[in-house]
């Protein structure tokens, strides 16, 4: 069983290298597309080959510049739909606006739901994404969403690089805040080690400002692995790392699926106690944000397998058994 007459993979301009990695994994060349802008900044695309009856996969994370990348994705989907594609699938390794998933105070939008509606009404039949900031966002969509995770990939890295330390019980997985406890607990199970939690108070008067208050769990003399889904301005993760060292951690490593790294992120990371920060490649990291602390693993093979299974109408959940 397979959907449509074959697979066509199109890349947006947000992360063409990621699309090429998927293309290489599937041994399917990227489809020919032209991206351009009008003089007033409007986005245009032209599909330079037939997609009639095809299972189209559009690869486009909605990272910075978020609005341009989201609009380009919608325009590509519309072009494929109008060219008689059998299915139009949006492969969104990083789903922007996911942090606006509820009303934190009166008269605020729930932008994640708005974007989900726009994608569904924009002619997209299915979304494939990874590590949504909040799991309930999957329910915001009225179309199927395949929710992948980079946690297995990140855990494998630490299993290899900290094999002796894990065997000796000298590693502890740490959640940088209470909201990430469930994620850290799953990560600790993967590494077969203990968990600790950073208890902090956040100031909502100033965005992305937080203060470490206490550490719940045994960390003294151990190697801490901080786990998060997104690192944006890096305030939370860096405050947590510094607090762990002050309270007796031997070393601090950190990981996250999505490397947003905006604003003062790199300055904070460079000054922090974090020894190494490991990301997947859902978002491209520009050269000026790369240094000895930053390490990136490719999650493209996971997305390639998901695309293969979607096209062949096979189970996605079996990939994580």
């Amino acid at each position: 069983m397979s959907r449509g007459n074959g697979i066509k993979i199109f890349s947006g301009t947000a992360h063409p290298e990621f699309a090429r990695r998927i293309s290489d994994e599937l041994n399917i060349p990227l489809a020919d597309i032209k991206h351009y802008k009008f003089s007033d900044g409007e986005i245009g695309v032209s599909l330079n080959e037939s997609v009639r009856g095809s299972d189209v996969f559009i690869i486009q994370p909605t990272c910075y510049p978020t609005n341009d990348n989201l609009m380009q994705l919608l325009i590509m989907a519309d072009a494929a739909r109008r060219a008689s594609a059998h299915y139009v699938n949006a492969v969104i390794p990083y789903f922007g606006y996911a942090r606006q998933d509820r009303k934190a105070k009166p008269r605020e939008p729930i932008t994640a739901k708005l974007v989900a509606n726009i994608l569904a009404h924009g002619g997209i039949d299915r979304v494939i994404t990874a590590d949504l900031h909040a799991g309930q966002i999957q329910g915001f969509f009225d179309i199927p969403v395949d929710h992948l995770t980079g946690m297995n990939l990140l855990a494998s890295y630490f299993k290899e690089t900290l094999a002796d330390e894990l065997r000796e019980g000298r590693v502890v997985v740490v959640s940088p805040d209470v909201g990430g406890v469930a994620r850290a607990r799953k990560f600790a199970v993967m590494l077969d080690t203990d968990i600790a939690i950073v208890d902090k108070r956040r100031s909502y008067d100033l965005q992305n400002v937080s203060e470490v208050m206490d550490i719940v769990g045994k960390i003294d003399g151990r190697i801490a692995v901080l786990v998060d889904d997104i690192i944006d301005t890096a305030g939370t993760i860096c405050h947590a790392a510094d607090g762990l060292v002050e309270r007796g951690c031997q070393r601090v490593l950190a990981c996250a699926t999505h490397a947003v790294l905006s604003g003062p992120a790199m300055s904070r990371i460079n000054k922090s106690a974090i020894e190494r920060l490991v990301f997947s490649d859902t978002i491209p990291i520009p050269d000026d944000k790369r240094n000895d602390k930053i390490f990136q693993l490719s999650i493209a093979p996971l997305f390639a397998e998901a695309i293969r299974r979607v096209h062949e109408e096979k189970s996605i959940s079996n990939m994580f058994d």
Side-chain angles (χ1 to χ4, degrees):
M1 294 286 294
S2 62
R3 310 182 329 158
N5 294 333
I7 296 178
K8 296 280 187 177
I9 301 174
F10 289 94
S11 174
T13 59
H15 200 351
E17 180 59 34
F18 190 79
R20 281 192 289 272
R21 290 170 189 158
I22 289 177
S23 169
D24 290 343
E25 286 288 330
L26 294 172
N27 197 26
I28 297 172
L30 288 174
D32 190 12
I33 184 171
K34 179 182 178 181
H35 295 283
Y36 57 91
K37 280 192 175 183
F38 295 95
S39 59
D40 63 353
E42 290 183 1
I43 294 168
V45 304
S46 178
L47 309 186
N48 293 333
E49 58 185 79
S50 174
V51 298
R52 183 176 296 274
S54 297
D55 202 4
V56 171
F57 292 85
I58 300 169
I59 301 171
Q60 177 85 329
T62 52
C63 51
Y64 177 84
T66 305
N67 297 333
D68 281 0
N69 289 335
L70 176 59
M71 195 65 199
Q72 187 182 67
L73 170 62
L74 292 165
I75 292 171
M76 292 170 70
D78 185 71
R81 176 66 64 198
R82 293 178 185 276
S84 301
H86 190 58
Y87 287 100
V88 178
N89 308 274
V91 180
I92 311 175
Y94 170 70
F95 182 76
Y97 288 111
R99 285 170 288 180
Q100 299 182 38
D101 64 311
R102 67 192 187 284
K103 292 180 68 172
K105 58 184 180 181
R107 296 175 296 281
E108 282 192 339
I110 303 178
T111 317
K113 172 59 176 168
L114 172 63
V115 173
N117 289 344
I118 291 171
L119 291 171
H121 290 288
I124 290 169
D125 296 301
R126 176 183 293 266
V127 169
I128 304 174
T129 188
D131 287 320
L132 293 167
H133 186 62
Q136 67 265 22
I137 294 174
Q138 193 169 3
F140 289 0
F141 288 85
D142 295 323
I143 55 176
V145 176
D146 294 309
H147 190 198
L148 310 181
T149 179
M151 291 294 109
N152 304 64
L153 177 69
L154 298 172
S156 295
Y157 171 84
F158 290 109
K159 282 181 181 178
E160 293 178 8
T161 58
L162 298 176
D164 293 338
E165 292 86 347
L166 283 165
R167 189 164 46 250
E168 295 164 2
R170 296 194 288 118
V171 179
V172 58
V173 170
V174 182
S175 173
D177 53 29
V178 175
V181 171
R183 182 185 309 109
R185 186 178 292 115
K186 291 179 181 177
F187 202 78
V189 169
M190 293 177 191
L191 296 185
D192 191 24
T193 190
D194 299 332
I195 182 175
I197 304 163
V198 177
D199 180 26
K200 62 180 177 57
R201 181 175 64 235
R202 180 181 292 276
S203 170
Y204 287 100
D205 294 328
L206 298 172
Q207 284 188 328
N208 299 312
V209 174
S210 60
E211 180 182 356
V212 173
M213 299 297 292
D214 200 4
I215 310 294
V216 181
K218 182 181 177 183
I219 63 166
D220 190 37
R222 304 177 83 180
I223 299 169
V225 178
L226 282 159
V227 182
D228 214 339
D229 60 332
I230 298 171
I231 295 181
D232 186 358
T233 59
T236 296
I237 205 88
C238 290
H239 281 301
D242 294 340
L244 288 165
V245 170
E246 290 170 5
R247 287 157 177 81
C249 263
Q250 182 186 356
R251 297 165 58 197
V252 178
L253 310 173
C255 65
T257 302
H258 308 298
V260 177
L261 302 179
S262 67
M266 292 310 301
S267 174
R268 288 172 173 173
I269 291 167
N270 291 335
K271 295 175 183 177
S272 75
I274 297 173
E275 182 180 308
R276 171 154 282 200
L277 186 46
V278 185
F279 294 104
S280 78
D281 59 346
T282 56
I283 297 174
I285 300 178
D287 291 339
D288 62 349
K289 292 184 179 180
R290 292 181 179 273
N291 58 33
D292 292 339
K293 284 192 174 187
I294 304 296
F295 188 75
Q296 218 172 7
L297 304 169
S298 183
I299 198 174
L302 182 68
F303 274 87
E305 180 61 20
I307 288 171
R308 181 185 290 111
R309 287 174 179 247
V310 167
H311 178 66
E312 296 176 354
E313 297 193 336
K314 294 180 178 179
S315 171
I316 297 292
S317 61
N318 287 348
M319 292 168 57
F320 301 100
D321 287 347

